[in-house]
């Protein structure tokens, strides 16, 4: 068996495949690997901008970038400059976004277990929205909100929909740690409670049915449940959450953000939802996944009787998704991008675990050898953001490329950084 060259639709939008290199944003990836070292995350800024603008155009004002998918100051600014709010789920994410200079009016605060500090900061900052997730949170808000202070909220509900995706990233079903159940009556009770809290403005409801969803039928079902549940509430916003999937491997096909938005508009019309209701969303993966690509250097090629292992200088510390969810990726050799990938290999990292696999069944040209730079495309979402220092491996650097120029937005961690927390 053999596999053709990597299909170009898995590469970042501006990628150009050359004979012995690939350019993104007009910049040579091999040159970037030489300049910044590997492993290296490279983001196509034009692709990020295009997707933020598509989201801003497809939904109403208030549509937010889910920062958990990939966050740094540069990304936060890019999202806001291109029309989006930013969804943060912890004080840490909130802090990065504020330090990036994002106005609190553009920040949406999430979390199923917000601390008193997180709620207090959201109130003091007068953030765009706080998404309320539990009865205990309502009690805390009542205790924290002082007379004269205000808080703009949505309430998160579980619409009882089982999205067709991995169970770890499925969130719309009844048995969930997130939100209030509509079916049990909790969501209605929470709305009644919140309406009685002075200073709280409840704009509407929020739901998030899961992540990496290809089939937009789930979003239609979700809207149907939300519309039906809120038909007598005269709310001014319905947020459908994030979750739009992306193609990671050859053969997969996902709707674009614009196609998703168009389908949501159709559902809104068909369900007779008031035109004045803001329809918002919180895409993360669909904005950053395909714009990002990771470069690694091959350090070992081990040929066994049953398979060939190709070990690279990163692994589960920069991309834990294959280990966590069994996620599939493609790989290709940057100096041989046009060649058929005629050797099946298992791409592994440098961590002390057999489970440290990046691509279980990868195809590379048989010429790929020690010292070559290989790349895994579609690694812009939940890679860097879930990266760890397992085995005391420093986190990679992150570079943005555009118009023939590159800029380092996150430097590589140093060995110094790794001991920074030690107090003795
Ligand atoms: N809104 C809420 C409330 C969420 O919980 C999430 C993701 C999003 C929006 C953005 O979802 P997206 O558009 O990125 O699918 N680590 C997992 C994904 C976890 C998603 C958590 N919540 C992965 O690597 O697949």
């Amino acid at each position: 068996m053999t596999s053709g060259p990597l299909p170009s639709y898995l590469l970042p939008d501006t990628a150009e495949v050359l004979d012995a290199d690939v350019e993104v944003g007009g910049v040579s990836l091999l040159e970037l690997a030489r300049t910044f070292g590997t492993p290296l995350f490279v983001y196509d800024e034009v692709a990020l901008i295009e997707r933020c603008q598509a989201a801003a155009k497809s939904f109403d004002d208030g549509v937010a970038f889910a920062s958990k998918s990939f966050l740094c100051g540069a990304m936060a600014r890019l999202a806001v400059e291109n029309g989006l709010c930013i969804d943060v789920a912890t004080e840490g994410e909130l802090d990065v976004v504020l330090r990036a200079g994002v106005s609190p009016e553009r920040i949406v605060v999430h979390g199923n277990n917000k601390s008193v500090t997180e709620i207090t900061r959201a109130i003091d900052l007068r953030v765009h929205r706080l998404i309320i997730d539990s009865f205990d949170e309502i009690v805390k808000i009542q205790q924290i909100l002082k007379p004269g202070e205000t808080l703009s909220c949505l309430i998160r509900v579980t619409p009882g929909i089982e999205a067709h995706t991995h169970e770890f990233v499925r969130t719309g079903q009844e048995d969930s740690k997130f939100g209030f159940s509509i079916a049990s009556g909790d969501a209605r009770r929470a709305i009644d409670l919140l309406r009685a809290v002075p200073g709280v403005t409840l704009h509407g409801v929020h739901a998030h049915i899961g992540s990496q969803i290809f089939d937009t039928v789930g979003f239609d079902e979700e809207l149907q449940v939300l519309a039906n549940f809120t038909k007598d509430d005269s709310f001014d916003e319905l947020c459908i959450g994030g979750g739009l999937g992306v193609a990671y491997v050859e053969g997969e096909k996902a709707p674009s953000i614009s196609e998703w938005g168009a389908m949501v508009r159709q559902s809104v019309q068909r369900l007779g939802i008031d035109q004045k209701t803001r329809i918002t969303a919180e895409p993360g993966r669909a904005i950053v996944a395909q714009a990002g690509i990771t470069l690694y250097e091959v350090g070992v090629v081990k040929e066994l009787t049953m398979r060939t292992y190709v070990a690279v200088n990163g692994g589960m510390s920069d991309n834990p998704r294959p280990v966590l969810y069994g996620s599939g990726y493609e790989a290709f050799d940057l100096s041989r991008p046009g060649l058929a990938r005629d050797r099946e290999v298992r791409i592994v990292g440098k961590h002390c675990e057999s489970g440290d696999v990046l691509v279980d069944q990868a195809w590379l040209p048989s010429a790929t050898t020690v010292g070559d730079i290989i790349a895994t495309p579609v690694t812009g979402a939940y890679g860097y953001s879930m990266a760890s220092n397992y085995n005391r491996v420093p986190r990679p650097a992150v570079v943005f490329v555009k118009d023939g120029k590159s800029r380092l937005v996150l430097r590589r961690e140093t060995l110094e950084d790794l001991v920074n927390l030690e107090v003795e």
Side-chain angles (χ1 to χ4, degrees), residues 66 68 110 156 208 211 242-243 282 284-285 321 325 382 386:
K68 68 204 81 185
H110 267 279
R156 178 162 178 174
H208 171 75
S211 201
E282 293 160 349
R285 188 191 316 268
R321 300 192 68 257
Y325 318 114
Y382 302 107
M386 295 205 297

Side-chain angles (χ1 to χ4, degrees), residues 53-268:
Q53 290 181 352
K57 223 182 280 165
S58 303
F59 294 92
D60 290 314
D61 190 36
V63 52
F65 166 58
S67 70
K68 68 204 81 185
S69 58
F70 168 60
L71 180 60
C72 62
M75 184 63 215
R77 283 188 290 273
L78 185 150
V80 171
E81 280 160 14
N82 288 285
L84 302 185
C85 284
I86 307 246
D87 139 16
V88 299
T90 64
E91 194 184 11
E93 289 177 352
L94 173 64
D95 203 64
V96 171
V97 169
L98 289 172
R99 283 172 200 261
V102 173
S103 158
E105 274 154 39
R106 303 300 289 166
I107 298 176
V108 176
V109 176
H110 267 279
N112 72 304
N113 178 18
K114 300 178 192 73
S115 67
V116 168
T117 313
E118 285 166 338
I119 297 171
T120 309
R121 282 194 84 181
I123 292 172
D124 291 348
L125 288 162
R126 312 186 66 165
V127 294
H128 175 64
R129 296 274 185 272
L130 181 112
I131 316 296
I132 297 176
D133 205 280
S134 67
F135 287 110
D136 289 317
E137 187 176 343
I138 299 177
V139 173
K140 288 180 198 165
I141 290 170
Q142 279 173 309
Q143 288 163 350
I144 297 168
L145 205 59
K146 296 195 239 2
E149 285 183 332
T150 58
L151 184 62
S152 294
C153 299
L154 296 179
I155 165 176
R156 178 162 178 174
V157 301
T158 41
I161 290 167
E162 308 247 346
H164 302 280
T165 186
H166 194 288
E167 67 164 304
F168 287 7
V169 294
R170 218 186 275 156
T171 46
Q173 72 282 10
E174 283 294 314
D175 186 354
S176 169
K177 72 168 181 164
F178 298 105
F180 297 93
S181 148
I182 293 179
S184 72
D186 279 354
R188 182 52 56 197
R189 277 189 285 280
I191 290 172
D192 292 343
L193 272 173
L194 278 166
R195 284 194 160 134
V197 181
V200 167
T201 305
L202 184 59
H203 288 274
V205 295
H206 168 287
H208 171 75
I209 55 172
S211 201
Q212 184 57 358
I213 297 166
F214 286 125
D215 186 355
T216 53
V217 167
F219 295 104
D220 181 71
E221 288 171 20
E222 174 189 6
L223 266 170
Q224 209 166 314
V225 173
L226 296 186
N228 188 39
F229 175 61
T230 58
K231 62 183 184 310
D232 301 321
D233 286 304
S234 36
F235 283 144
D236 55 40
E237 180 171 351
L238 294 181
C239 180
I240 62 162
L244 182 65
V246 300
Y248 281 98
V249 293
E250 190 164 0
E252 276 181 342
K253 178 142 179 41
S256 68
I257 292 177
S258 306
E259 286 167 342
W260 181 42
M263 170 263 129
V264 168
R265 288 282 162 214
Q266 271 173 20
S267 302
V268 166

Side-chain angles (χ1 to χ4, degrees), residues 39 313 317-318 388-397 412-415 417-418:
N313 56 345
S317 54
D318 59 74
S388 75
N389 290 129
Y390 182 39
N391 290 134
R392 302 280 87 190
V393 170
R395 268 175 277 243
R412 184 175 305 283
E413 264 180 335
T414 60
L415 298 178
D417 290 327
L418 297 180

Side-chain angles (χ1 to χ4, degrees), residues 11-49:
L11 289 170
D13 295 3
T14 69
E16 291 278 346
V17 177
L18 310 177
D19 281 350
D21 198 353
V22 172
E23 284 182 359
V24 176
V27 179
S28 147
L29 292 182
L30 284 173
E31 186 61 38
L32 287 176
R34 278 191 289 272
T35 309
F36 297 104
T38 53
L40 183 69
F41 283 92
V42 180
Y43 282 84
D44 178 352
E45 214 173 328
V46 166
L48 294 172
I49 292 170

